Each structure stands twice: as C-alpha cells, then as structure tokens.
Amino acid sequence: TMSDNTEKIIPMAQVDIDLSKPIIPPSPDNLLILPTRDLVLFPDITFPVTIGRSTSIRTAEFSEKTGTPIGIICQKDASVETPDIPNDLYPIGVVASVVKIFDIPNGPKTAIVRCGNKFTVIGKGKDTNSISAEFLNPDKNVNSPKLNNIVKQIRISIKHIHDAIKGDNSMDLPFDIDDITLPSMLINMLATHLPFSFKSKIEMLECDDMVERGLMLLHELKENEEYSKITQEINERTKFSLNENQRMHFLQHQMEVIRQEIYGDEDDDISRLRARSEKLSMPDEVKALFERELNKLSRLNPQIPDYAIQYNYLDLLVSLPWGINDELTHGLNEAEDILNADHYGLEKVKERILEQLAVIMNTPDGHAPILCLVGAPGVGKTSLGQSIAKALGKKYQRVSLGGLHDEAELRGHRRTYIGAMPGRIIDAMRRAGSSNPVLLLDEIDKIGYDGKSDPSSALLEVLDPEQNCKFHDNYVDADYDLSNVLFIATANSLATLSQPLLDRMEVIDISGYLLEEKIEIAKRHLIPRAIKANAMTKLGITFTDEAITDIIEGYTSESGVRQLEKKISAVIRKLVLRKMRGMKLYRKIQPKHLQELLGTPVFTKDRYEGNDYAGVVTGLAWTAAGGEILYIESSISKGKGEKLILTGNLGDVMKESAMIALQYIKAHASLWNIDERIFDYYTLHIHVPEGAIPKDGPSAGITMVTSIVSALTQRKVKPRIAMTGEITLRGKVLPVGGIKEKILAAKRAGIDTIIISETNRKDILDIPATYLDGLNFIYVTDIRQVIDAALLSDKVDNYKTFEIPEDKN
C-alpha cells in the first residue's frame, strides 16, 4: 500500500485519548522505526498517521499495547515499498508513542501518535525494524520574546495566502491557528501540515533553535504568499479572457448558423475540406494527419492569423493528387509522329526517347529511369520534355533549378516558420493535378551551393527510384509517392554535377544541328512562330533557303537554333516597322535583303585562315555553347630572357599543355632536324587569339606541338586541317571529349580533315553519317604521326632562318 501519510486528518476532539501520560524514554540501541512516505513530523505535537504496511501496523500495535516509544522517520523515496533501514531513511526523526489505533470505514488503519524530542540515526539496531539512535536535547529559545513576533507575522502571512487563493486544498488546515497559543507548537504544527518541499522540512527539523525554525517557516510562507498573489492575478486575467472567448464563440456560432441558413453548407470551410478529402485516395497515415489537423482548424477562431495558416496547409493536402493517375492516351506510332512533328533531326535522341516511351506503354506500373538531356543552349532540351509529355498524353510541369541554392526550395519549409511554403517539387505536383506527370527539372547543372545547404543532395532522394516513393516535404510533413513521375532533367554541362547525382540519371547527349537541319527547323518551326507572334500571317512572308543559309552562316555561330530564332524575329520586326511606316514590304526574303534588315554580317562563311604562315594551326575546342575552332599561333624571336611566353587568357590546363609541348620538342628536337641551341638563344611565344575569352581544357596538346614544330621548322601546315587531342611527355596522344560538337564546328569553318586520337574512333562510329559527310579523319597514337600528317615538307614563302652564334669552345 501507499498510505502511511496524512491524507485523512481526524479532528482530535473526536478521538478519546489520554495525552497526560509522559513519553517513556526508549532504548537508544534498539529503537523500533515506523517509516512514513510523505510525512515529516516535528516535536511536541499529536498527529494522526495513516498506516497500511503490515510491518508498520505491527510496530504501531506493539507500541500501543506496551507503551514502548518508537521512532517516526520519513523515507527518502516514497515509491519504495520496503525501505532498507536505515539506508533509505532521512537521518533525523522524532520519538513518539502510539496513543490509539482505530479503523476508518473503507480505509486503512490510523494511529494517533504523540511526538517527543528528536533523534539522529547512528546505525542498525538489534532487530530488523530497529536502529541505534542518539537522542537530541529539546529545541532552544522556545520561550524567546522574539519568537512571539515571528509567530505574529506567520499568522498574518497564512491569512494573506488563504485570501489570495481560495479553494486550494493544499493550503487548508484541519485546525484553527487562533486556537493554538503556544508559539513553538504552532510552528511545529504548521511545519508538519503545510506542503513545503521535503528538503525544507528536513532542514527545519534539523534546526535546534526555535527562533531560526520560525524564520525558516516564515520565509517559506512569504514565498507562497508571493506565488499566491501571482496565481490570483493570473486567474483573474484568465477568467476575463475566458469570458471574452466564450462571448466571441457564441457570436461566431450564431454567425455560422445564419450563414448556413443563407448559403447552405457550401460556405463551411470544414465541410468543404472534408468533402474534397473524401474524393482522394489518401494513404492511411495521411488521412489520420488530415483529420488531426482538421480538428485543430475547427477549434480556431477564423479571425486570427493561425486560422489562415492552418487552412492553407489543409488546402494543400487536399490539392495534391493523391492516387490520381492519367491514363496513356496515345500509342507508340502516335507518339513517334508527335516527336517528329515537334523536332526535326536528333534522330538518335528521339530513338532513345521512343525506347523509353515503349517501355512505359508496355509496363505502365514500372519505374521510369530519370533522363538527363545534355547539350548546348538552344538545341531543344526543354521543348523535348514538352513533346514527351504530349506524346504520352500526360500532364507537364517545369521546375526551374537555375540559381537555386537553398535546400528548402526543394524540400519546403517547416510550418513553424513564418511564411512557410511547400517545396518546388510538391508545388509542381499540385499544379499538375496528377500523380504521374512529366516533370522537367530545368538547368540542373546550375544549382548553387552557399555552404549552408546543398540542394543537389536533396535531389538525390527525388531522382532515386528506390527512395522517391517516400519523398518527404518539410511543409507537407508526410511522405508523398513520386515513383510514378517521369523526371527529365536538362543541363548544358555535366562538369558541375556531383557524381552521386549523375549516377542516378541516364544521360542523353544533344550535340547540335547540321546546316541542313537548321534550315528545315527554321522553315518548319521558327519562321511560322515568328510570323504568328508578330501578326504577319496574312501577308504570306517566306524565306528562301539561301537567305536562311546566309543568316545561319553570317549572323549566328552556335550549335543550337536560339540565335537563329532571334535573327529571324529581328527580320520580321523590321518588316513590321516597314509596314507601319508605309514602306515597301519584302514578302520573299532573299540574301540581298539581309544586309538592309540585319546589318553587316558578323561572321564570315569560311573562317579557315589558310596555311600561308608557319606556326598557325587550327584546333578544335568544346564550350557550353557547342564546338568551336581556335587557332594556336607560335612565334620565335631572339632573346635570352623568358624561354616561353603564353598569352590569350589561358587556363591552368592549357598552360600545362604548352609546357608539356615545349619540353617534348626539346627532348626530341632531332626528330625534325631542329637545332637544340635555338632554345638557348630564342624565345618561344604561344598565343591563342581572342584573348578576352577564357580558354581552358585538355584538348590543345597536339595542336600546340604542331604549332611549335611548324614555327621552328618553318614548314607549312596542310590546308583545311584541324586537330584535337592531348599529349603526354612520352609523346602519346590522349583522347578527348565533345567529338560531335567539334566535328560540327569544323564543318561550319570549312575544315575537311581532322586529326584525333585512335581511342576516339569509337566516338566517330556513334555519329550519324550525315555529320561525317565531306570529312576525312586521321587517327593517331603518337605525336610524330600528328606532325607527319599535319605538316608539309615545303617551307612557307619568305621563311625565317634562325642564326645560332658559333660555339667559342
């Protein structure tokens, strides 16, 4: 049992006991103990103790029958049923005699005990339930005049507490303090009854000065008095607030009844939200979440801001397409027709997309891989995503990731933040209204990183078919299934993508378009779109193939068709201006009209600069805008200062290639009959034109070697030849990337022969024959093969001779 306390107080007037007998001093070596759970008794008081444990009952009955005093002491832990004596007891208690024991109806036994002086525990006694004790002297200053003043303040403080807190049973006393005239007894009775902490009560009991004990009691009462004042103030404010809330609740309820009478249930937010949720196939955990949050909404006042926040959250939950899937509306042949109608060229890309569409149509419940379309700007990556959605008959949404640097933009903000919103993925699903749309993750390579959050890591969960079935948005705070979504990512370059993210995607390269493909794209898509956008459809404006060709070659230089579209739009705008001015319109645009409409051509048709100069070699480079040709120029001049000068805003990789090229030629100068002393008396200057444009990449090694050898030997470079590849100090030619883009750049520049590494032969086999038409490829493994293939034996006109001073030794 858990009694042995004073939960039930019996008035002393109702108990027939004799309090005149003195307490017989007990034996200090074998003092029987009656442990209490939540009761600390003080000297010189008579008090009822509720007892329930069998050992306590036997001890009390023995004391009552024999008149033997016992020790009453509080145990440290009230939950211990059988305390270890004396280890589980406080070290101080009071000696008491049991005056009478009687039963309470429907309750445990109660013993009336008369307390005497205090004792301290020394050790175990002779019996199991006994201790050896040291009996203490009576408390000092019992009759001190100062004690009377303290008791006066104690009486005032208790009355203040009772006036402040009414109905608090913990502060009620079973006696009237005015009936107790003896100061020491009043202090001991109050210390026993009042609900102070056990630590405070033990400190009071250990104090042998009654004045000090009275001051300690007064201190505790003052603390309770201050607490009582604060509690009273809070209760008054709470009562006023509650009354106001009840009034507002009543008025709002009346308004709801009137509103429902006028508008019916359609204006009831709760009913509308619940009706919308019943139409969805929410998972069980989401249903439980929705009901909890809906109940919370029903308890909120619609006039407070929290109501709008809660309503917006629930509105998002029922706006998400839980279990809503779009059926495939097109067959494979229709899908192929849609792709061909929307995009001209890109045969291998469309073939790969059709393979994926066939798999989706054959296994609608399967997990689709994540496709990543990689290519230069303007090649049609974004429009391909739209065409795929149209071919499948699915919803389409675009999620722009360019410049995103906060993970919360993808995963959403927690609702505890002000202005919290769902992430872009969940928002796209809400806008799509379907659980299996096509989501285009645009510009995935341009995700930022600010050192605090990493959005690319958040994308790992989105793009992993094994994880995105339980995508967790912080705002929604529930798992959402993205496994049925067809994700298509776009990027200009893979260099900035992390390897874990790249591993989760299947990369499809979109290199660029041939001249013939650009002409067809312009005629089928770009020109009609520009004419329609400028309301010039009725005028029958057309472009000749020659005019389109001149625009492509004279005013654009790109892998895609974005600049071409801008130039065509510029032509149409000029025609609109002429129309508004009442001038003559050109209804059939020909090459002779272009200079008037677009100005002087920016680019020349053939940028190949010939082979009349030694040391000038055409190289091929890859950029984010596609392939380009670049020139490596080498010049030899007298001087013993710097042995190598590099200009042209070169990156570290290009500088390393130049150093490797020079060191290789120094080590193998005899292969090309180069006098090694040239390097001691002459300075080599390597320059890459258009110096304002940063250039870097491991693809100019063989070009630099060829340029240096040509400058040193004054041999001509073969006409219309270009090269790409890296070298080692051993003279090995290493493979490079971006072969298709470089080939397109070479064709645009009028190159007909390309030197590349033998290892790159496999890349050539993957390129359609139309891209290779008119090109001759020379595959090499060693730099000597490059020099033999690229340089003629003839020297340039007015070739330069290098004079070497005679050796005086």
Side-chain angles (χ1 to χ4, degrees), residues 486-553:
L486 176 59
F487 288 101
I488 300 174
T490 69
N492 296 132
S493 170
L494 299 178
T496 58
L497 291 178
S498 64
Q499 192 60 41
L501 186 59
L502 195 58
D503 288 342
R504 285 164 169 79
M505 300 185 293
E506 184 173 341
V507 176
I508 300 177
D509 288 314
I510 305 178
S511 302
Y513 300 100
L514 296 173
L515 175 62
E516 295 78 10
E517 291 175 340
K518 289 183 178 181
I519 293 172
E520 286 297 323
I521 292 171
K523 291 164 64 176
R524 296 186 183 193
H525 303 286
L526 305 183
I527 294 174
R529 188 187 306 162
I531 291 174
K532 182 179 179 181
N534 291 279
M536 300 285 280
T537 307
K538 297 180 180 180
L539 299 180
I541 296 174
T542 60
F543 287 66
T544 64
D545 289 355
E546 293 77 11
I548 299 174
T549 302
D550 285 358
I551 293 174
I552 294 171
E553 295 180 341

Side-chain angles (χ1 to χ4, degrees), residues 579-594:
K579 173 190 173 184
M580 300 304 293
R581 287 176 174 175
M583 300 171 65
K584 179 182 177 181
L585 286 180
Y586 304 129
R587 299 182 183 276
K588 187 174 185 179
I589 307 301
Q590 301 180 29
K592 61 183 180 180
H593 302 137
L594 295 180

Side-chain angles (χ1 to χ4, degrees), residues 148-211:
N148 293 326
N149 294 329
I150 295 174
V151 169
K152 182 178 180 180
Q153 294 298 322
I154 289 174
R155 294 178 188 273
I156 294 172
S157 182
I158 288 179
K159 290 181 179 179
H160 286 169
I161 294 174
H162 277 281
D163 292 340
I165 300 181
K166 297 179 181 179
D168 187 351
N169 295 329
S170 64
M171 297 298 293
D172 285 345
L173 296 174
F175 55 88
D176 189 347
I177 59 174
D178 294 333
D179 293 340
I180 303 178
T181 58
L182 191 62
S184 60
M185 180 175 292
L186 179 61
I187 291 173
N188 288 339
M189 287 292 287
L190 292 176
T192 302
H193 274 287
L194 294 178
F196 302 146
S197 65
F198 284 101
K199 180 180 178 182
S200 299
K201 289 194 175 188
I202 294 298
E203 289 177 356
M204 289 184 192
L205 186 61
E206 290 175 342
C207 179
D208 61 353
D209 189 330
M210 185 58 68
V211 172

Side-chain angles (χ1 to χ4, degrees), residues 727-746:
I727 62 166
T728 67
L729 281 173
R730 296 175 296 163
K732 298 295 182 183
V733 179
L734 302 178
V736 292
I739 295 299
K740 185 176 179 181
E741 289 86 349
K742 294 175 180 178
I743 290 173
L744 291 175

Side-chain angles (χ1 to χ4, degrees), residues 132-153:
S132 61
E134 176 184 356
F135 300 109
L136 303 178
N137 294 324
D139 295 326
K140 298 180 297 183
N141 293 327
V142 174
N143 299 316
S144 172
K146 187 177 181 181
L147 189 61
N148 293 326
N149 294 329
I150 295 174
V151 169
K152 182 178 180 180
Q153 294 298 322

Side-chain angles (χ1 to χ4, degrees), residues 282-291 317 322 478-479:
M282 289 182 175
D284 293 339
E285 59 272 15
V286 178
K287 287 181 180 178
L289 172 66
F290 177 80
E291 287 298 328
L317 279 185
W322 304 96
D479 293 338

